[in-house]
């Protein structure tokens, strides 16, 4: 009689331990999924921050900025400098790679005319992600002393 009672208590203990370990495993699975989701979210945020950083570098290149008496205007690109810089940057894309990575940068004049300048182009042939950032800018023509409205398109390619 005592051995049957001991066997029943042993089976109860094994059942409780089995349920406990199942709950522990389910907890680990839930924790792993939450952790994976957080890591993916942090990775996406890092990619977005990288794209914004490249866009800021592109919009604040000293080769393009408008200046008068050594005073730099924010969000302004000199059209004459833009035309010269687009040729120079395409010839020296290895030098600009450190700042602009694998990206394509174009400047579009929207108003009053319609022009487009290809500033930098070093895209990846095979990429997993492409992030496009549009920056509104003022285009200053120093010959005519007129401003135009434009957009700088920065496309960042990621492996």
């Amino acid at each position: 009689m005592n051995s049957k009672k001991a066997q029943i208590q042993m089976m109860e203990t094994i059942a409780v331990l089995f349920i406990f370990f199942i709950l522990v495993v389910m907890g680990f699975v839930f924790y792993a999924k939450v952790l994976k989701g957080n890591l993916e979210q942090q990775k996406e945020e890092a990619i977005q921050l990288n794209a914004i950083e490249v866009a800021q570098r592109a919009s604040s290149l000293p080769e393009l900025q408008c200046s008068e008496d050594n005073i730099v205007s924010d969000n302004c690109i000199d059209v004459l400098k833009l035309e010269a810089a687009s040729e120079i940057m395409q010839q020296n894309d290895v030098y600009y790679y450190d700042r602009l990575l694998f990206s394509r940068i174009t400047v579009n004049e929207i108003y009053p005319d319609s022009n487009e300048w290809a500033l930098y182009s070093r895209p990846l042939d095979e990429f997993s992600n492409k992030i496009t950032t549009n920056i509104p800018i003022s285009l200053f023509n120093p010959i005519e002393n007129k401003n135009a409205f434009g957009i700088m398109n920065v496309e960042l390619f990621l492996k």
Side-chain angles (χ1 to χ4, degrees):
M1 183 80 169
N2 283 339
S3 67
K4 287 189 178 190
K5 189 175 179 182
Q7 285 180 347
I8 292 174
Q9 287 179 346
M10 187 85 118
M11 291 299 284
E12 288 176 354
T13 305
I14 290 173
V16 167
L17 286 174
F18 181 73
I19 292 172
F20 174 75
F21 284 121
I22 287 178
L23 290 175
V24 168
V25 168
M26 287 176 33
F28 278 129
V29 168
F30 177 75
Y31 178 73
K33 286 186 179 184
V34 169
L35 187 63
K36 182 180 177 185
N38 287 343
L39 289 176
E40 288 177 4
Q41 183 179 5
Q42 288 176 351
K43 181 180 176 184
E44 183 66 29
E45 287 176 6
I47 289 171
Q48 294 291 337
L49 287 174
N50 192 14
I52 291 170
E53 186 177 331
V54 169
Q56 285 178 338
R57 284 185 197 146
S59 67
S60 65
L61 284 171
E63 293 92 334
L64 304 174
Q65 292 179 339
C66 299
S67 62
E68 189 172 332
D69 296 330
N70 287 331
I71 299 172
V72 177
S73 301
D74 290 333
N75 295 329
C76 181
I77 292 179
D78 191 324
V79 175
L80 296 178
K81 291 180 182 179
L82 176 63
E83 290 172 355
S86 64
E87 294 175 15
I88 292 170
M89 289 177 77
Q90 288 176 2
Q91 293 170 359
N92 300 312
D93 64 342
V94 174
Y95 172 76
Y96 288 99
Y97 171 76
D98 289 337
R99 292 184 184 175
L100 304 174
L101 306 175
F102 290 108
S103 62
R104 180 182 302 132
I105 301 170
T106 58
V107 176
N108 298 318
E109 181 181 349
I110 295 176
Y111 180 81
D113 296 327
S114 180
N115 291 321
E116 182 174 330
W117 295 272
L119 191 60
Y120 176 81
S121 182
R122 192 170 185 172
L124 283 172
D125 293 332
E126 296 180 17
F127 55 91
S128 64
N129 205 351
K130 178 177 118 176
I131 299 172
T132 303
T133 306
N134 298 317
I135 304 167
I137 54 171
S138 174
L139 296 169
F140 177 65
N141 188 340
I143 294 174
E144 299 174 4
N145 199 23
K146 290 185 179 179
N147 284 333
F149 180 73
I151 292 181
M152 178 182 279
N153 298 314
V154 180
E155 297 174 332
L156 180 65
F157 299 94
L158 302 168
K159 292 181 182 181

